[in-house]
Amino acid sequence: MTWDAIVVGGGPAGSTTAALLASDGWRVLLLDRARFPRRKPCAECINPAGVAALRRLGVLDRVMEAGPARLEGWRIASDGGPSFLGRFHGGVHGIALPRETLDDILLRHARACGAEVREGLKATDLLRDGDGHVRGVVAGGEEVAAKIVVGADGLRSIVLRRLGLLARAPRLRKLALTAHVRGLGDMGGCGTMRARGRRCVGVADVGGGLANVTVVVPAEQAHEVGGHADAYFDAALRESGFVDARRVDDVLATGPFDCPVRRAVADGALLVGDAAGYYDPFTGQGIYRALRGAELAAQTIGAALRAGDTRAAALMPYERARRRAFAPGERLQRVVEAFVSRPRLLRWAAGRLDRRAQLADAVIHATGDVRPVRSLLHPALLRQLVA
Ligand SMILES: Cc1cc2nc3c(=O)[nH]c(=O)nc-3n(C[C@H](O)[C@H](O)[C@H](O)COP(=O)(O)OP(=O)(O)OC[C@H]3O[C@@H](n4cnc5c(N)ncnc54)[C@H](O)[C@@H]3O)c2cc1C
């Protein structure tokens, strides 16, 4: 049998794409090498635009029943210097919950919408015809045919690599260590990022008395982690002042994150979520982009299937929509990374933003995808920055 679409990867991008296509009546196979619920290295914060996307998908009620923490803003602390707090306003907020819960809800939703979901099934290659047009995947040693293949298989996407669309090796080389802890008490509804040199520790309440701690280690210190991720993580937590925290699960390690992609479409295939390109987790926009990217992908795939044309040219509306939606945010991420990787610059910026709450809130709204990045260029805000 030939599926209308095979979606490789059941994270937020894949499950959402599968759910939307299946709801429109397409025959969709969603496969993931993992069995759910599964953990995923992530700081587990969904920004306000991501919350809105979950609402549009029709799963927000189920997510809220799982008891996520409410995220009202972020405090960013420079190393040995000032910190600033940026808050969301006007009823806007993010949420945070463990990825094993969120991703399981999204995968079940895809199944409920009519997608055939196969867990524990790994895609290892693409099938192509004589012209190079993708005609399906090899998964679990078998050939499975489809009119279109969606690569939603994350940062180390096999679909991306087999399509030859990876632009270059990562330049920004960081390592992240993630685990859940107890004992941090009330965090006032805000996440915290504490820089120590070029290392950064992010902490956010994820509900149920748990907090997510993510330690981002720059490349030059990665050798210190060696094979001792748990011990390094515990020490980083203490050194950052979180002395009451007790880790409750194993530390997950991942990196590097910089994954530049030449384009997200090919003949018979399309990339979504991290597989379509990623840079850095500091601003916490990945889940939103996975959900929003899936919406954009499903629109284009539906039109391509209806027209019976899945060549790259027919998938270009998705490529253009992605660029319009995400390119400004990616540029902002690079600016943020330039500050985070230079402790003196971060101290200077934190000092300025600490005394200019309106500017701090504007930055948090832009990284929360609530306001466009260009809103930061408003003359009144720029005057505040240089004043
Ligand atoms: C340290 C860190 C912290 C982060 N913190 C945040 C945050 O706080 N907020 C935020 O919004 N974003 C954050 N992100 C980014 C976010 O985690 C990702 O952007 C998001 O998970 C992307 O979703 P996805 O569906 O594209 O990929 P994933 O969630 O990675 O899902 C990919 C799926 O594909 C499956 N898969 C992989 N290969 C195959 C294969 N060959 N065959 C079958 N299945 C396969 C995997 O098992 C997985 O289930 C963070 C990222 C990192 C690394």
Side-chain angles (χ1 to χ4, degrees):
M1 114 167 229
T2 299
W3 297 91
D4 290 320
I6 293 178
V7 181
V8 181
S15 289
T16 304
T17 308
L20 294 172
L21 289 174
S23 301
D24 280 349
W26 302 109
R27 287 165 310 148
V28 182
L29 173 65
L30 172 61
L31 54 98
D32 199 294
R33 66 183 175 193
R35 293 196 179 276
F36 287 62
R38 56 104 180 87
R39 290 178 69 197
K40 149 84 176 82
C42 182
E44 304 182 319
C45 296
I46 306 173
N47 73 10
V51 175
L54 292 173
R55 184 179 292 115
R56 288 195 297 276
L57 187 62
V59 294
L60 187 59
D61 287 348
R62 244 162 296 153
V63 171
M64 296 312 287
E65 281 163 19
R70 197 176 153 107
L71 197 59
E72 308 279 0
W74 283 94
R75 175 170 290 285
I76 316 288
S78 63
D79 186 3
S83 66
F84 72 91
L85 176 66
R87 281 186 173 278
F88 300 119
H89 294 295
V92 166
H93 64 89
I95 56 174
L97 77 164
R99 285 291 297 269
E100 52 261 63
T101 308
L102 173 72
D103 291 17
D104 195 43
I105 291 171
L106 293 173
L107 190 86
R108 284 163 187 266
H109 181 66
R111 191 176 268 135
C113 288
E116 165 88 19
V117 179
R118 296 199 196 143
E119 299 173 51
L121 186 58
K122 181 177 177 177
T124 50
D125 209 347
L126 297 176
L127 297 176
R128 294 171 189 264
D129 64 17
D131 296 332
H133 193 111
V134 175
R135 298 292 178 194
V137 300
V138 179
E142 289 188 11
E143 298 189 348
V144 197
K147 293 175 188 163
I148 190 162
V149 170
V150 178
D153 44 345
L155 271 184
R156 319 267 167 256
S157 167
I158 186 82
V159 179
L160 164 65
R161 279 152 183 85
R162 291 289 188 268
L163 291 173
L165 292 177
L166 188 64
R168 54 164 171 76
R171 284 192 193 128
L172 183 67
R173 303 192 74 89
K174 295 182 187 174
L175 174 72
L177 307 176
T178 306
H180 293 121
V181 304
R182 283 194 189 279
L184 283 178
D186 182 11
M187 300 184 60
C190 288
T192 300
M193 297 277 200
R194 284 190 193 165
R196 200 177 159 91
R198 281 159 45 82
R199 187 174 79 192
C200 192
V201 177
V203 180
D205 186 351
V206 292
L210 288 180
N212 174 297
V213 175
T214 297
V215 181
V216 179
V217 185
E220 68 275 10
Q221 290 172 26
H223 67 277
E224 293 173 26
V225 179
H228 316 286
D230 287 2
Y232 184 97
F233 177 96
D234 294 341
L237 199 55
R238 278 194 307 276
E239 286 164 18
S240 297
F242 299 106
V243 284
D244 296 329
R246 273 178 297 107
R247 184 164 53 79
V248 296
D249 44 26
D250 292 340
V251 173
L252 301 179
T254 184
F257 324 113
D258 180 18
C259 174
V261 168
R262 284 195 280 125
R263 57 174 197 281
V265 297
D267 288 337
L270 177 153
L271 302 166
V272 67
D274 285 3
Y278 195 72
Y279 182 59
D280 189 62
F282 192 88
T283 55
Q285 294 167 288
I287 299 171
Y288 162 66
R289 286 187 195 159
L291 299 169
R292 180 67 189 136
E295 291 177 334
L296 300 173
Q299 278 169 19
T300 295
I301 294 169
L305 289 172
R306 274 191 297 278
D309 180 1
T310 57
R311 287 173 306 157
L315 303 176
M316 279 309 281
Y318 167 66
E319 177 76 23
R320 287 191 287 272
R322 259 188 66 80
R323 290 207 181 144
R324 270 196 306 277
F326 305 141
E330 283 164 11
R331 284 195 284 275
L332 178 61
Q333 276 190 311
R334 282 166 204 275
V335 173
V336 169
E337 158 56 23
F339 280 83
V340 173
S341 60
R342 292 171 181 81
R344 284 176 58 187
L345 202 53
L346 184 61
R347 270 197 293 278
W348 174 82
R352 300 228 129 198
L353 292 172
D354 185 30
R355 282 171 274 131
R356 294 163 177 83
Q358 198 190 352
L359 191 56
D361 292 351
V363 172
I364 295 300
H365 279 82
T367 56
D369 294 297
V370 188
R371 284 195 211 141
V373 172
R374 66 173 184 282
S375 66
L376 292 174
L377 300 176
H378 192 281
L381 290 178
L382 291 177
R383 267 198 303 278
Q384 281 191 28
L385 183 66
V386 294

